Amino acid sequence: VPVSVEIRTVSSGYPTTEVVPGSVTTVNASDVKISTDASESTRFNFKKPIYLSDKVEYSFVYKKYGDEIKVILHHSSLPYKI
């Protein structure tokens, strides 16, 4: 099941329909890491740098196709090790 992510602007605390140019990326089903305890992670890579404006709120919007997977998000102020 492929999963897509896009960056959108936010208005009144909710994502708008305005997608930041170049911010849509999809991970093919064969590259989606699946685990029962969220110990695996799937990396989303953008084709080029995404430039965002200051004083604008943005949201990551995840789209999954089908009911076979659940997206579990992790936020950290520390960057992941590559």
Side-chain angles (χ1 to χ4, degrees), residues 1-77:
V1 177
V3 178
S4 295
V5 65
E6 57 193 34
I7 301 173
R8 296 186 187 185
T9 57
V10 171
S11 178
S12 300
Y14 294 96
T16 68
T17 57
E18 181 184 351
V19 178
V20 175
S23 73
V24 179
T25 187
T26 300
V27 174
N28 293 323
S30 60
D31 296 322
V32 174
K33 305 281 194 292
I34 298 176
S35 66
T36 57
D37 61 358
S39 62
E40 296 287 329
S41 63
T42 299
R43 180 178 291 234
F44 291 88
N45 294 308
F46 298 100
K47 293 180 180 179
K48 59 183 181 177
I50 307 298
Y51 296 99
L52 304 175
S53 301
D54 61 346
K55 300 180 184 174
V56 176
E57 188 175 1
Y58 296 95
S59 175
F60 287 96
V61 176
Y62 294 84
K63 295 181 176 183
K64 62 185 184 114
Y65 304 94
D67 294 328
E68 296 177 34
I69 62 172
K70 177 171 65 172
V71 176
I72 300 172
L73 303 177
H74 169 75
H75 176 272
S76 174
S77 59

